[in-house]
Amino acid sequence: MAESSPLRRAVLIGTGAYLPETIVTNDDLAQKIDTSDAWITERTGIRQRHFAAPYETAAYMGAQAARAALQAAGVAADEVGAIIVGTSTPDQAFPSTAVHIQAAISATKAFGFDLAAACSGFIYGLSVADAMIRAGQVDKVLVIGSEVYSRILNFEDRGTCVLFGDGAGAVLLQAREVAADGPGLLSTHLHADGTQAGILYVDGAVGRRDMPGHLVMNGREVFRHAVTLLSSAVSEALAANGLASDAIDWLVPHQANRRIIDGVGKKLGLPPERVVVTVDRHANTSAASIPLALHEAVADGRIRPGQLVLLEALGGGLTWGSALLRL
Ligand code: ACO
């Protein structure tokens, strides 16, 4: 019988992470603003978050996570062909966070750029990297999510400032010729609805000197959309690959809120022990949350080679999407 020809796929060969040293508990926040550990834990599952020191910028943290991913893969920085950074909190409008990371890690042969899709930035980045690898443009791509939301939080707004944290996660993808049932990114699915821009946004940027640049959110509206849109992105990934949800070994969701994570897991019919959760310790680190969670579960041996992993995210835009990969 003729064997099917191998496919060029983006295979995940390393993960890395960086979290700022300073941990801020709910009780710490309650000393400064009118909130409580009970309110935050009940509604979100968040118990603590990391807040960056002044030197811990998106570029600094992203470089640390990138180094760790390269080390895990046993790959030298000058083998990297491209660096894609999902971030809404870059060090500068330009140069991009990606080129600062390129310099910091001496990835001398890589090109790089930032990608703005808020909390969906890592899934969007994976999708772009996957397309570049499949097209033969590059062989090794670092996809990084790095965020310092503590710098854009409005600490007068207790409804938002308790929800977010800082950190960075990175993965290294490598082009490989594999069999259909072999490892690699199987598919990615991206969506956006700009008519919902007003429910989650930052009210300023370098192009708007009249606005301070704080995160603004209508939490109820975001919540209303989240489970429905994320569940549809997850179903889309399963349908595109002819899989039922019981084929999924791990769901690694964007870590915004425990109730959203549980809602999607339940709709998928996945038992909680197959869902990776870090929101209790990291809070919502936007584009960094998925690579941080993925790194944790790969590093501690929960996610193993050969397993099917489903990623999903939703964020400001609205933007949302999913990615399915075999380790
Ligand atoms: N501590 C104590 N009380 C608070 C706090 C706080 N930190 N924040 C708000 N409250 C009070 C409000 O003032 C209000 O009081 P009132 O009834 O006396 O007016 C009460 O709690 C209820 O406020 P709501 O905003 O209606 O609270 P809700 O139950 O909707 O929960 C939450 C808020 C947790 C933000 C919820 O809407 C949510 O989880 N939304 C999803 C949003 C999300 O996760 N966004 C992350 C970014 S998007 C993404 O990454 C997917």
Side-chain angles (χ1 to χ4, degrees):
M1 204 167 71
E3 279 183 27
S4 58
S5 53
L7 306 159
R8 183 177 163 93
R9 276 210 195 119
V11 177
L12 189 151
I13 60 165
T15 64
Y18 180 84
L19 287 161
E21 272 179 40
T22 303
I23 292 175
V24 177
T25 64
N26 294 344
D27 284 333
D28 293 334
L29 283 180
Q31 284 179 11
K32 291 185 184 142
I33 57 172
D34 183 15
T35 188
S36 66
D37 177 49
W39 192 95
I40 301 170
T41 308
E42 256 169 46
R43 282 188 168 69
T44 71
I46 297 166
R47 296 183 181 279
Q48 63 173 50
R49 73 284 295 137
H50 293 247
F51 276 174
Y55 71 92
E56 289 172 316
T57 66
Y60 175 88
M61 298 194 300
Q64 298 284 65
R67 278 191 198 100
L70 289 170
Q71 194 174 3
V75 167
D78 64 4
E79 292 179 47
V80 175
I83 301 172
I84 303 174
V85 182
T87 187
S88 309
T89 48
D91 297 25
Q92 296 173 292
F94 72 85
S96 66
T97 312
V99 301
H100 285 304
I101 293 172
Q102 184 238 19
I105 66 173
S106 301
T108 48
K109 299 196 182 80
F111 66 89
F113 56 91
D114 292 1
L115 189 157
C119 300
S120 311
F122 182 73
I123 300 274
Y124 269 57
L126 277 185
S127 186
V128 174
D130 184 37
M132 293 194 313
I133 284 176
R134 283 181 197 255
Q137 188 181 9
V138 281
D139 285 338
K140 293 192 183 72
V141 184
L142 274 168
V143 183
I144 302 167
S146 189
E147 302 276 21
V148 278
Y149 267 48
S150 61
R151 314 256 215 265
I152 56 166
L153 292 175
N154 174 4
F155 285 94
E156 312 267 287
D157 176 11
R158 64 179 181 168
T160 56
C161 71
V162 302
L163 303 176
F164 295 88
D166 303 333
V171 300
L172 183 64
L173 301 175
Q174 177 177 25
R176 275 199 197 146
E177 303 288 326
V178 299
D181 61 354
L185 268 165
L186 304 185
S187 66
T188 60
H189 306 271
L190 306 184
H191 297 278
D193 179 2
T195 68
Q196 300 300 323
I199 66 171
L200 177 54
Y201 59 97
V202 176
D203 64 356
V206 288
R208 290 287 303 267
R209 287 188 196 271
D210 55 325
M211 305 291 268
H214 282 136
L215 185 145
V216 182
M217 179 176 73
N218 180 335
R220 288 216 168 157
E221 277 300 297
V222 173
F223 199 97
R224 202 169 63 78
H225 289 288
V227 176
T228 313
L229 294 177
L230 288 169
S231 299
S232 78
V234 157
S235 303
E236 192 181 10
L238 292 174
N241 293 281
L243 294 168
S245 58
D246 59 6
I248 302 303
D249 293 298
W250 293 98
L251 177 67
V252 184
H254 169 49
Q255 310 282 321
N257 180 310
R258 184 73 207 228
R259 289 187 299 163
I260 297 174
I261 293 172
D262 290 347
V264 176
K266 214 177 256 175
K267 279 212 171 180
L268 252 183
L270 270 190
E273 55 276 13
R274 276 160 55 197
V275 181
V276 178
V277 176
T278 55
V279 71
D280 52 329
R281 288 156 292 128
H282 301 172
N284 183 347
T285 56
S286 191
S289 93
I290 292 176
L292 273 166
L294 188 59
H295 171 74
E296 182 175 285
V298 168
D300 69 19
R302 270 179 290 168
I303 298 183
R304 295 190 305 275
Q307 291 189 324
L308 260 186
V309 181
L310 186 51
L311 317 175
E312 44 88 337
L314 176 137
L318 290 178
T319 56
W320 68 99
S322 60
L324 186 65
L325 75 150
R326 192 180 292 283
L327 259 287

